[in-house]
Amino acid sequence: MEETYSAVTTEPIIISDEVAARRKALFDKYVTPYNRMIYKLCMRYTFNPSDIEDNYIEVLTNMYKYIETYNPERSVQTWLHIVTKRCVFDLDQRKKKHQDMLSDDNNVETFSSSESIVDFDEVSSNVMGIDNYQELYSDDVLAALKQLKPQYRSALLYQQAGYKLKEIAEIEYRNGALESRNIETVKSRLFLARQQLQQLLTRDGKRRTTDETD
């Protein structure tokens, strides 16, 4: 299979060579040269500064998946600006809605700050983590996760469990999966993990058939 993202170490995914080559070429031509601009836009539009890194990854993932919808007759910088702004807005809205739901839940217990911290090495029965994620996902999702490289899978699962990029880097460093606390490496692994899962699963988390393409 063709490599699909030149800025990081690549991993073969279930996608035709033709589609992979086309997406890679378009992504490298229209998106990669403007990574700094995209990151600055994420900084500008993200409501919570702690979400900037996560939103940046989501924006790049979204751009890669829909890069073939870009019309070269339009200004690429204008297109990137619009896509980034809309994506960040949607992500922030989802997070705000989630926070509002938690705030409205009368059954949420209040803990002291020291009690609310989840230990890096332990996972309670009601928190998703590396040790219990198999109980929380469908068979199709588990099968797709199994196809990811271990370092991609663990980074993704930690993010799904609610850890920030800095925390994931610390955990992976302590576990020996990172040579240093490098957030850029974590970002790359998350990008590749999501990229591969999009090729393996449909939007509703079902396994794609061999003849299905985006």
Side-chain angles (χ1 to χ4, degrees):
M1 293 293 178
E2 288 290 330
E3 297 176 347
T4 56
Y5 186 48
S6 61
V8 295
T9 304
T10 54
E11 168 76 359
I13 59 177
I14 300 177
I15 185 174
S16 70
D17 291 340
E18 180 182 357
V19 172
R22 186 167 63 243
R23 286 188 181 182
K24 179 182 183 299
L26 292 172
F27 190 88
D28 287 348
K29 180 178 181 179
Y30 295 120
V31 178
T32 301
Y34 297 99
N35 277 348
R36 289 173 63 88
M37 183 192 81
I38 295 169
Y39 187 83
K40 289 181 179 179
L41 289 172
C42 288
M43 292 177 63
R44 179 190 302 180
Y45 293 118
T46 299
F47 178 77
N48 189 338
S50 65
D51 292 327
I52 292 173
E53 299 285 353
D54 292 338
N55 284 351
Y56 176 63
I57 293 174
E58 292 286 356
V59 167
L60 289 182
T61 301
N62 195 60
M63 287 178 175
Y64 173 83
K65 185 172 183 179
Y66 297 105
I67 187 62
E68 292 176 276
T69 65
Y70 168 63
N71 180 1
E73 295 182 0
R74 298 179 59 188
S75 165
V76 65
Q77 294 189 45
T78 299
W79 181 77
L80 292 171
H81 193 136
I82 293 173
V83 171
T84 301
K85 184 176 180 179
R86 288 178 178 173
C87 187
V88 169
F89 177 78
D90 288 343
L91 291 168
D92 281 350
Q93 285 296 105
R94 292 179 200 170
K95 290 171 184 174
K96 182 178 183 302
K97 183 177 180 181
H98 179 66
Q99 290 299 322
D100 290 343
M101 290 175 64
L102 290 179
S103 298
D104 293 338
D105 189 350
N106 295 324
N107 295 321
V108 174
E109 298 181 16
T110 302
F111 299 93
S112 68
S113 58
S114 61
E115 292 173 328
S116 63
I117 299 175
V118 178
D119 191 277
F120 286 158
D121 298 320
E122 296 181 4
V123 180
S124 64
S125 60
N126 62 341
V127 176
M128 196 206 80
I130 298 297
D131 295 333
N132 69 343
Y133 73 92
Q134 294 182 352
E135 303 172 8
L136 306 175
Y137 285 126
S138 67
D139 290 341
D140 285 347
V141 173
L142 291 175
L145 287 171
K146 190 175 181 180
Q147 294 187 49
L148 302 181
K149 279 188 173 182
Q151 61 266 37
Y152 297 170
R153 180 172 58 250
S154 62
L156 181 64
L157 290 173
Y158 279 126
Q159 187 184 55
Q160 293 299 306
Y163 291 107
K164 298 297 183 182
L165 293 175
K166 185 177 180 180
E167 295 172 324
I168 297 173
E170 176 66 27
I171 297 171
E172 294 292 68
Y173 174 74
R174 289 175 55 178
N175 289 340
L178 282 177
E179 294 182 0
S180 63
R181 299 174 179 84
N182 192 330
I183 292 179
E184 292 301 316
T185 301
V186 174
K187 288 162 60 176
S188 298
R189 291 178 178 181
L190 288 170
F191 179 88
L192 288 170
R194 292 172 183 272
Q195 182 185 28
Q196 293 177 47
L197 288 179
Q198 287 174 356
Q199 302 303 322
L200 295 170
L201 299 169
T202 62
R203 286 180 179 274
D204 58 355
K206 301 297 182 182
R207 186 180 305 176
R208 290 186 185 276
T209 59
T210 55
D211 58 342
E212 266 188 296
T213 55
D214 288 337

